[in-house]
Amino acid sequence: MVLIKDVRIAGLGEAKRDILLHEGKIQKIGSNLSCADCSEVIEADGLVAFAGIVDLNVRVQDDKLNLSNLKKLYTATQKAGVARFVLSPRTQPLIENQTFKSLLAGKMKEEFPNIELAIKALREPDKLNSIAAMVKNGIKIVQENSDINGNLLRRIYEYSKMHRNLFFVFCENKILNDSGVMNEGEVSFKLGLPGISKIGEISEVAKVAQMSMHYEVPTLFQALSTRRAVNLVADAKKRFSQVYAEVSIHHLALDERACDGFNTYSKLNPPLRSPEDKEELLAKLQEDKIDVLTALHSPKSVIYKDVAFAEAMNGIDTIERYLPLAYTYLVKSGYISWEKLAELMAKNPARILGLENIGAIEEGKEANLILFDPSYSEEVQEKTSPYYGKVIDGKLVRVLRSGV
């Protein structure tokens, strides 16, 4: 048994409480708890207890799916206090072969228990993957881009409804995006780079929202970057409650100016938008129109970043700073409370996945939690980070998994 003393629990106000952990579960939450049989007593005065993070949009290094990259990702998520995450299927090789899926699923259950697999709906541009085989292997999440053949998108919804799958969709229109490499705006004009218009995202969200309502398939709109897209999902939710808007922490903390000077380390997909777009997203956050946050973890090697901006790969490695970034830019800045942050980073994504035993610090749930020190601050030293030179507040003091 482990006893945590005098800790503030994110979501339960300012009062300090004790948390007793036993056999991998949260056994009791209260005041002045004692435990003669505890193997460890953690004095946590000044710390905040935060539920194990659940992230629905995580990618492996360079999008290359192999055992080495999975181990790196697993280690990083453990350090970050991530209790569960969905591995994006946009990898090489694709998770498509039934034998490969079976082996991978089995390996993950043994070695990587915090990983949830998803599968791309298409194995080729015009061919559906084997969704039925996926279901047999216990994979319940289908993911695809929105700008595929409309008839194939319809069939994906029909299969997802039949098998009761979740559908994760990334909304973009490559034809409208043309050759764009960053947000279409002041910075792209200054740098002479082709821009990506907001209308590509907005128009695709409008289309997919209609399909979600028609087929009544739970749908996560991944990594939205515009106010109008978020509003479209919120409007659809009035007719069908199981549609969800996801936004990355970076689109709430940074804007297109981070790309100035041809900074490829700030090149993301969707692109960082204008300062006005960022402020509009923060307003949507305060209006409770954003359902989940993501670290949008997609690490890329320097060889794919230290090139011309147009040639650089999209992606950012920030999973280990996810909670400090969210605290710095959202809670300490006064946009939302600790309680709301816990909903966005743990409770809501766990609910979307149907995982009842994680996502909150409550009696009876799994003892996956983070002890966080909000008084700490440091300047980001990594030049490969879009946050280089910025002061980030807070640090993870201890991550407990199953109570240890």
Side-chain angles (χ1 to χ4, degrees), residues 158-216:
E158 290 173 343
Y159 276 111
S160 296
K161 186 176 182 68
M162 181 188 308
H163 295 292
R164 298 182 180 180
N165 295 320
L166 299 169
F167 183 41
F168 287 10
V169 61
F170 180 68
C171 291
E172 66 174 349
N173 188 309
K174 298 181 187 67
I175 295 176
L176 286 175
N177 290 352
D178 196 17
S179 57
V181 295
M182 66 177 301
N183 181 58
E184 184 179 74
E186 182 177 328
V187 178
S188 67
F189 180 77
K190 173 185 174 182
L191 299 179
L193 293 173
I196 298 173
S197 171
K198 294 184 288 185
I199 195 62
E201 174 179 291
I202 295 165
S203 60
E204 291 296 304
V205 170
K207 175 184 72 178
V208 177
Q210 291 297 320
M211 285 197 169
S212 302
M213 290 184 289
H214 178 77
Y215 290 104
E216 296 187 335

Side-chain angles (χ1 to χ4, degrees), residues 347-365:
K347 186 176 182 178
N348 289 352
R351 177 170 54 84
I352 290 170
L353 294 178
L355 302 174
E356 298 180 355
N357 290 327
I358 64 173
I361 299 177
E362 298 174 359
E363 293 179 1
K365 291 190 181 292

